[in-house]
Amino acid sequence: MSFTNPVYTDNFPDPGAMRVGETWYAYGTNGPTGNVPVLTSPDLVNWKPAGDALPQVGKWATAGNTWAPEVIEGPGGTYLLYYTARSTKTNVQCIGVATADQPGGPFVDESEEPLVCQADEGGSIDASPFTGDNGDRWLYWKNDGNAIGQPTYLYGARLSEDGRTISGESKQLLVNDAGWEAHVIEAPQMVRHDGRLYLFYSANAFDKEEYALGYATCEGPLGPCVKAAENPILHTSPAAAGPGHGFLVTTPAGESWLLYHAWPPSAVGSVAPGRQLWLDRVDWVDGRPVVKGPTVEEQPAPN
């Protein structure tokens, strides 16, 4: 089977994904279909809408700004959804966690307070969970410093065993100090490949064609991390503008693929079609991830 990008032509920003059984689930930033729109696919290529994973945000939040959700398996056959929403107390974006018995939800956030809320640093967004080989849980996010004219950092912290609280001090891992990053780095995802840790992230203005994706290598889950010299590894092409907020997945055959959003070059910043869902292969060359994209030509589908 072969395919061409984009793999989903409607607006679906900030994708996170996971595979349960024979089904892939993708989770996106809020839109007309709900707080956390869900897509399902048997093959990463053919996606269908599957409702709203989070019908109600937590008591601490107001609906309408539910961003960048990601889901992992929790203890006892549960699932944990980490999401960003607007705190009613602080009026900034903060991070919450909700639980469900099914990967598609409905997820419920029973907390009275957000999981992470750095109000004095502009807020906290783009939560991304990571489970180590030994079962330890970690969470990564960014402070929303660009919202208040401050630097943006990517943070990491250990999670409790149940994944619902922070169990250690948070640590700054990266800051927006490279020219291509401009005023913001965001959208972290920690990935383990061949025993090494890679922290993928995006940078620059999300609604501009300068938005792009890079990575750093890390010595441990809380660093230290060093940015790759070849960054960015995914950037605007004639076919796709502002590609980023990627999520790397591994197929059952062991292939690496990157789901990410991108604007049509003629519609950067648009509501419709908005940020479409793209999929491109990632090859590992001498320990470095190389993204084969943005690719608009027909290409073999994932195995």
Side-chain angles (χ1 to χ4, degrees), residues 177-194:
D177 57 5
W180 72 275
E181 297 165 354
H183 64 294
V184 56
I185 56 174
E186 60 184 19
Q189 184 199 12
M190 187 67 81
V191 173
R192 183 180 295 276
H193 179 79
D194 283 349

Side-chain angles (χ1 to χ4, degrees), residues 37-301:
V38 183
L39 305 177
T40 58
S41 172
D43 52 20
L44 291 172
V45 170
N46 298 288
W47 294 94
K48 295 181 178 180
D52 182 2
L54 186 70
Q56 291 186 318
V57 296
K59 299 174 184 176
W60 57 270
T62 53
N65 293 280
T66 310
W67 300 346
E70 294 189 17
V71 176
I72 59 169
E73 292 185 19
T78 62
Y79 297 88
L80 300 168
L81 166 71
Y82 298 86
Y83 69 100
T84 300
R86 184 63 53 92
S87 162
T88 54
K89 181 185 294 184
T90 63
N91 198 36
V92 299
Q93 295 290 99
C94 300
I95 292 165
V97 58
T99 59
D101 294 328
Q102 301 292 331
F107 286 84
V108 177
D109 182 355
E110 298 178 340
S111 302
E112 299 286 343
E113 300 291 337
L115 176 64
V116 181
C117 192
Q118 300 159 302
D120 57 343
E121 296 184 46
S124 308
I125 73 171
D126 291 355
S128 182
F130 171 71
T131 303
D133 287 343
N134 61 357
D136 287 352
R137 299 180 186 275
W138 308 85
L139 190 70
Y140 302 90
W141 70 91
K142 65 158 281 201
N143 72 293
D144 208 17
N146 51 292
I148 57 173
Q150 292 186 11
T152 54
Y153 292 90
L154 298 186
Y155 282 86
R158 184 188 292 270
L159 285 164
S160 59
E161 190 173 334
D162 66 4
R164 299 176 68 175
T165 59
I166 300 292
S167 69
E169 289 190 11
S170 61
K171 186 173 183 180
Q172 294 176 348
L173 303 180
L174 297 176
V175 66
N176 58 313
D177 57 5
W180 72 275
E181 297 165 354
H183 64 294
V184 56
I185 56 174
E186 60 184 19
Q189 184 199 12
M190 187 67 81
V191 173
R192 183 180 295 276
H193 179 79
D194 283 349
R196 299 183 67 189
L197 292 174
Y198 298 80
L199 182 58
F200 290 84
Y201 66 95
S202 296
N204 215 301
F206 79 93
D207 55 354
K208 305 290 185 184
E209 64 178 17
E210 288 79 13
Y211 197 63
L213 184 141
Y215 76 96
T217 54
C218 301
E219 292 184 19
L222 294 182
C225 301
V226 178
K227 295 177 182 177
E230 68 268 27
N231 283 342
I233 62 170
L234 179 70
H235 51 78
T236 289
S237 75
H245 206 114
F247 192 90
L248 190 137
V249 299
T250 303
T251 68
E255 296 177 350
S256 295
W257 289 79
L258 188 74
L259 285 164
Y260 61 93
H261 71 229
W263 307 95
S266 62
V268 176
S270 64
V271 174
R275 288 168 281 178
Q276 299 169 318
L277 185 63
W278 284 59
L279 175 73
D280 274 309
R281 185 180 173 120
V282 177
D283 291 331
W284 298 87
V285 181
D286 297 328
R288 298 193 303 270
V290 178
V291 184
K292 301 291 188 179
T295 302
V296 71
E297 295 82 16
E298 187 173 348
Q299 60 179 311

